Amino acid sequence: MATSLEHTQNHDPSQNVLIVGNYCHDVLLRNGDVVAETLGGAASFISNVFNGLTVSYHLTSKVGLDFKYPVSYDPIVVSSARTTVFHAHFDLGFDGNGHQDRVLKRVVACDPICPGDLPDMRFDFGMAVGVGGEILPETLERMLEICDVVFADIQALIRIFDGNDGTVKHVGLKESGFYHLLPRIGFLKASEEEALFLDVEEVRKWCCVVVTHGKDGCKLYWKDGEMKITPFSANQIDPTGAGDSFLGGFVAGLVQRLATPDAALLGNFFGSLTVAQIGLPKLELRLLQVCF
């Protein structure tokens, strides 16, 4: 499979990847009771994978003064805002047949990330991985200007939030305000449920589409073909962040010059590690050395 992954030489070699997305406070609930409170946000799961694999990156994220977790890359602290908070209700979802196994509610939203918040430098790869509506079309456009290849998680583009209780909903990609940027994006990642909100056959003409299928692995779609990537078995405890960890492993593989299918296999590996733990997963170095 051919993908356009050419690199320019005008970048800081110590920071190959730009990650853009807010850190969050995640609260996991079952039957109304709090099961766990953890660091959340796609940026936290992706940076966790990158730290384990020693991938160099710059992270642009916003939080409020109430942010309470230690992180390896300091966020922008907005004194007038609170950190984004998500409640994940595991007793409100539906089982099987591709239906959601939890209901997500955004109960607090921090400020969006603006183009001026991004660093004035070039990167090999950029990752638009907002979870709470914090990435604006103009921010993604700026990423496309300073990054050679951009990966967009569709959740950063199509999520909307109920005005009463913050329940996460979706709009069609064509109605998202980001659709005109697709021809400039290198990779678009979507879950099986999110893929219902885009026309894969149309989008694959412009960029590589990666659709994750949980325990069934993932599938790659590009202009001239498609490929299913083998999954890793896992005992699912908490699906939160699995797709984010997948994307982190996928991009880490491409940073290390793996072929795209092999990078997707690495993504499947990190996704399987994540669902087997609550919150941000602990990554065993021994397993990383075997797999990478």
Side-chain angles (χ1 to χ4, degrees):
M1 174 172 55
T3 56
S4 178
L5 294 177
E6 297 179 357
H7 308 290
T8 65
Q9 298 301 313
N10 299 319
H11 70 278
D12 180 348
S14 67
Q15 295 180 323
N16 291 321
V17 186
L18 171 63
I19 305 171
V20 181
N22 286 348
Y23 290 125
C24 305
H25 292 164
D26 281 355
V27 180
L28 283 59
L29 301 105
R30 191 181 300 276
N31 299 321
D33 296 326
V34 175
V35 176
E37 297 185 34
T38 68
L39 171 65
S44 65
F45 287 91
I46 292 169
S47 59
N48 186 50
V49 172
F50 283 4
N51 291 337
L53 294 176
T54 321
V55 173
S56 299
Y57 63 93
H58 177 98
L59 194 153
T60 299
S61 178
K62 286 185 174 178
V63 300
L65 287 173
D66 60 337
F67 186 61
K68 60 184 180 181
Y69 293 103
V71 290
S72 56
Y73 217 109
D74 291 337
I76 299 169
V77 179
V78 183
S79 59
S80 60
R82 294 171 58 197
T83 302
T84 299
V85 178
F86 277 94
H87 286 182
H89 296 265
F90 286 87
D91 52 330
L92 299 180
F94 303 92
D95 295 324
N97 299 320
H99 293 119
Q100 64 190 101
D101 50 12
R102 58 181 175 154
V103 171
L104 281 179
K105 297 184 178 185
R106 187 191 69 178
V107 297
V108 178
C110 194
D111 288 2
I113 298 171
C114 301
D117 297 318
L118 303 181
D120 186 18
M121 57 185 291
R122 289 208 60 83
F123 294 88
D124 290 339
F125 302 99
M127 303 180 69
V129 291
V131 294
E134 67 267 28
I135 294 182
L136 309 172
E138 55 265 35
T139 305
L140 179 56
E141 189 159 16
R142 178 57 181 161
M143 292 181 66
L144 291 165
E145 292 171 356
I146 64 175
C147 302
D148 294 343
V149 181
V150 170
F151 299 74
D153 192 327
I154 199 172
Q155 68 181 355
L157 313 183
I158 67 170
R159 276 187 174 184
I160 57 173
F161 307 91
D162 184 270
N164 294 319
D165 64 2
T167 297
V168 175
K169 300 179 180 180
H170 301 96
V171 296
L173 186 57
K174 287 186 176 180
E175 292 73 51
S176 67
F178 293 91
Y179 194 75
H180 66 289
L181 298 174
L182 285 180
R184 298 168 61 190
I185 291 173
F187 294 82
L188 181 68
K189 174 258 177 189
S191 69
E192 184 176 13
E193 295 79 13
E194 293 165 339
L196 299 175
F197 295 88
L198 74 149
D199 184 339
V200 173
E201 293 305 313
E202 182 175 5
V203 175
R204 71 194 289 182
K205 298 174 184 176
W206 298 320
C207 64
C208 181
V209 180
V210 185
V211 179
T212 57
H213 293 274
K215 63 181 179 62
D216 296 320
C218 69
K219 196 167 184 179
L220 305 175
Y221 300 86
W222 64 101
K223 184 177 181 180
D224 301 317
E226 57 191 62
M227 180 182 297
K228 183 176 181 180
I229 307 300
T230 305
F232 288 82
S233 60
N235 179 25
Q236 178 170 306
I237 297 175
D238 175 16
T240 305
D244 307 322
S245 294
F246 164 86
L247 189 56
F250 180 54
V251 175
L254 293 177
V255 168
Q256 297 295 333
R257 308 293 181 178
L258 293 183
T260 304
D262 294 332
L265 184 64
L266 186 64
N268 283 348
F269 173 73
F270 281 101
S272 70
L273 292 182
T274 300
V275 300
Q277 304 177 52
I278 293 179
L280 204 65
K282 295 181 179 179
L283 305 177
E284 294 185 30
L285 184 59
R286 177 184 58 81
L287 292 176
L288 303 184
Q289 290 173 335
V290 171
C291 184
F292 201 56

